[in-house]
Structures are given as C-alpha cells and as structure tokens.
Amino acid sequence: MIRLEPAGAEALLLVLADRPDAQLPQRLAMLAEAIRAELGELLTDLVPGWTSLLLHYDLCRTDHLDLAARLTPLLERWLAEPLSVQPGRLHEIPVWYAGADLPEVAAACSLSVAQVIELHSSTEYRVGAIGFAPGFAYLGELHERLALPRRATPRLHVPAGSLAIAERQTAVYPQASPGGWHLLGLCPWAFFDVRRTPPCPLLLGDRVRFLPIDEAAFRAAGGRS
C-alpha cells in the first residue's frame, strides 16, 4: 500500500513498499523519471531509497496537499503499468580484497578470509539507493553469512575506493570520508566525477559483481592505497 507522508515543511515521502525486492529499484527509477517529467518544475530534489522516494518541493509553487493530489493519477498509472523491468546494466568492478577489517570480518562470521572473498564476490548485487555522499551506491543484498552490524566506533577517515559491508548491504566509498562499515578491500575505479555525465557510473537498478584482483592489477588500474 502506497503511503504519502509529510517529511518536514518542504518534503513529501512516498513509501512504495514495506520491504525491497529485486525489481523495485528499477521500477522506482522509472517512477522517478515520470515524476520529474510531469512535476519537475515543482521540485527541488528527488531522492530514491530502497522502498521510497523523497520529494523536496518548492514551497512557493506547491505544498504537500497539492503535490499529493497531483501525484495520485501518476501513481495510479504507475501501479497499472505491466511489469516490464529490464535486467539493468551489469558492472563488473575489480577489487583488491585487502581491507583492514577482512580478518576481523572472517573471524566474526566463523569463516576463512578466502570464504569471505568467495561469498562476497560470487553474489550479484542491485543498486537500491544512492546517497550519504555523492556517488555512494547502496548494494544489496549481501549474503546472510556476511551480515554484521556497523562498527561500534566509526572511523574518522575511510580512503576513497574502499569496499565495505554493513548489515545486508555493501558499497564502495566514492570519496575519503568518515564511515562505520567494515572494510574488505579497495577498488581502483572513480565512483564520482563531476566532469563525467552522469557523474556516478552506478544508477538505480543497475547490477554489480565484484571481481577479485591482486595488488599488481589494482595498481596497474590506477588504484592507490
């Protein structure tokens, strides 16, 4: 059941499902594009989540009651559309599994380091949300045997390109930043560049697989640690 909830003075939250599924991210992306096309002049931002869309609107042009009324026929059409979700683009991302937390993660999960790498790299992930920092793509779902809570004490500095896990998600930090996820490795790719169109190579609904590489391949691809 879709819910429309005020989220402050200039935002409206569309809750579209109670829990994520494999098809929802791309359907959310399709809905976001339809909203931008029809109501974009009223909006200042639109932020997709795993099961929701957060619409920031211009209070000089609309309010949450008016926006909800305008959204109703659009949402009805979206619900009535046949499910024609495409597989999503597949990104095969190289990663050097040499993260600072890899041995600790293996011990906490009662696995060997090799088993952690095998479980993480053999899973195909879906981009379910982009946020926290520009280009930070939340990927799910992580194998249940690797599910761990966030670190009790976040790091003040996580290097750009760090591959990390938390709960049932995995992600690559696009910029150096604080962070509380467990570090498994490093990727040589740039995941956000304002000079590129689009700035982030990963889009909502895309698929991701991680390819283990060694340190020499990581450095040959431009990676820095």
Side-chain angles (χ1 to χ4, degrees), residues 22 58 77 147 151:
D58 183 346
R77 292 199 304 271
R151 292 172 55 88

Side-chain angles (χ1 to χ4, degrees), residues 44-62:
T44 58
D45 199 6
L46 197 161
V47 184
W50 278 105
T51 60
S52 64
L53 289 172
L54 180 63
L55 281 63
H56 295 271
Y57 55 82
D58 183 346
L59 196 54
C60 294
R61 293 174 177 264
T62 187

Side-chain angles (χ1 to χ4, degrees), residues 98-144:
D101 298 326
L102 186 55
E104 182 181 328
V105 167
C109 296
S110 300
L111 298 167
S112 67
V113 166
Q115 287 173 319
V116 171
I117 295 171
E118 171 62 25
L119 286 175
H120 189 270
S121 62
S122 63
T123 299
E124 183 176 284
Y125 303 95
R126 181 79 68 166
V127 180
I130 299 176
F132 166 65
F136 190 100
Y138 291 84
L139 310 175
E141 277 193 326
L142 186 69
H143 194 286
E144 61 184 5

Side-chain angles (χ1 to χ4, degrees), residues 179-196:
W181 291 28
H182 305 274
L183 307 183
L184 296 190
L186 289 166
C187 297
W189 290 9
F191 286 88
F192 185 79
D193 187 343
V194 294
R195 299 165 296 182
R196 189 170 54 199

Side-chain angles (χ1 to χ4, degrees), residues 5 10 48 63 75 98-100 106 126 139 149 178 198-199 225:
E5 304 173 353
E10 298 178 274
D63 57 39
L75 291 169
R126 181 79 68 166
L139 310 175
S225 58

